[in-house]
Amino acid sequence: MPKLVYFAWVRERIGKPEEQIELPEDVRTVRQLLSHLKTLGEEYEAALQYPEVIRVALDQEHVEHHEPIGNACEIGIFPPMTGG
Amino acid sequence: MTAPSVRVQTQDFELQVEIEALTHDRRDIGAVVTFTGLCRDEQGSLSALELEHYPGMAEAEMQRTAELAVERFSLLGLTAIHRFGKIAPGENIVLVIATAPHRQAAFDGASFMMDFLKTSAPFWKKEHKADGSTGDWVAAKDADDRARDRWR
């Protein structure tokens, strides 16, 4: 069961910094994960309204939305970065 | 070549101390380029920026970028420090120092490090307003993506 970690306005809208979630077997790619999360409630819907802008990291490495989740232990979900 | 030094910290940094750490006892360095990014307040309405980061990944991503920069520009040394927490206008946010035998590699190395840091290191800025209210999260800029893409 992967740990999901949220940052910045994704964290604020979902209302928690992290959680462990059992994913259905048909959720295989990052895109499918984001679509699935959107169905979990209106706070998720608010955070992931525009999934195309959301960035995802598997075990702390950036991935594209078409990529498989595989056996990732930690899935980071966050807005575009604004450091520097 | 010195392995790049990457730090993510709340406390401020001292430019001269960090330059000295890269140049002390060396005779092969001909160029030191430094970039310091500060918290700015253009409208006079900001009390602070709050920098959030993804612990672990922020360091890892900066380290990956730093190693790419050292390799690509044959840098002799590279230091990158990014602060997090609340930072007031006028205070330091980020420091990059690149050293090389000649200036162009040092300029390019520092510039490359900053362009990739801005678009791939997991940091986010939230505004705190001077009137006590919480402002917006700073939006990512397309110009930052373009700055990164010129290195491809």
Side-chain angles (χ1 to χ4, degrees), chain A residues 6 9-10 13-14 33-39 42-52 54 77-78:
Chain A
Y6 309 124
W9 52 256
V10 171
R13 290 179 193 176
I14 290 177
L33 168 69
L34 295 177
S35 302
H36 172 70
L37 291 175
K38 270 177 83 171
T39 67
E42 61 187 24
E43 62 273 37
Y44 293 88
E45 174 73 37
L48 306 172
Q49 185 181 8
Y50 302 104
E52 60 278 5
I54 300 293
I77 302 179
F78 42 80

Side-chain angles (χ1 to χ4, degrees), chain A:
Chain A
M1 199 159 60
K3 181 170 82 168
L4 306 191
V5 291
Y6 309 124
F7 295 95
W9 52 256
V10 171
R11 170 180 54 73
E12 286 184 344
R13 290 179 193 176
I14 290 177
K16 52 190 133 182
E18 61 179 69
E19 62 186 324
Q20 292 208 287
I21 283 188
E22 189 85 60
L23 297 175
E25 269 195 23
D26 61 352
V27 171
R28 294 199 182 84
T29 67
V30 169
R31 187 172 290 122
Q32 288 166 344
L33 168 69
L34 295 177
S35 302
H36 172 70
L37 291 175
K38 270 177 83 171
T39 67
L40 298 183
E42 61 187 24
E43 62 273 37
Y44 293 88
E45 174 73 37
L48 306 172
Q49 185 181 8
Y50 302 104
E52 60 278 5
V53 306
I54 300 293
R55 307 298 173 94
V56 176
L58 300 180
D59 292 329
Q60 306 195 353
E61 290 204 36
H62 292 293
V63 290
E64 302 291 336
H65 286 194
H66 65 82
E67 294 189 59
I69 295 166
N71 296 317
C73 300
E74 183 174 294
I75 303 177
I77 302 179
F78 42 80
M81 292 144 282
T82 55

Side-chain angles (χ1 to χ4, degrees), chain B residues 19 26 42 74 77 89 93-94 98 113 116-117 132 140-141 144:
Chain B
I19 293 175
R26 296 194 59 150
E42 286 169 32
S74 302
I93 296 177
V94 62
M113 183 71 208
F116 275 83
L117 188 154
K141 293 190 188 76
D144 290 335

Side-chain angles (χ1 to χ4, degrees), chain B residues 38-111:
Chain B
L38 282 70
C39 174
R40 71 176 190 283
D41 177 19
E42 286 169 32
Q43 272 92 43
S45 59
L46 190 74
S47 75
L49 285 176
E50 188 167 359
L51 271 287
E52 179 172 336
H53 75 299
Y54 185 164
M57 183 175 171
E59 291 87 343
E61 197 60 38
M62 285 171 66
Q63 188 70 34
R64 282 192 279 271
T65 302
E67 284 169 11
L68 281 176
V70 166
E71 170 82 20
R72 178 160 169 175
F73 303 102
S74 302
L75 301 178
L76 294 171
L78 180 65
T79 295
I81 303 172
H82 204 303
R83 297 180 65 200
F84 66 95
K86 265 193 183 178
I87 297 177
E91 292 182 358
N92 295 323
I93 296 177
V94 62
L95 174 69
V96 168
I97 307 176
T99 63
H102 301 286
R103 72 179 183 283
Q104 197 60 51
F107 276 126
D108 287 348
S111 200

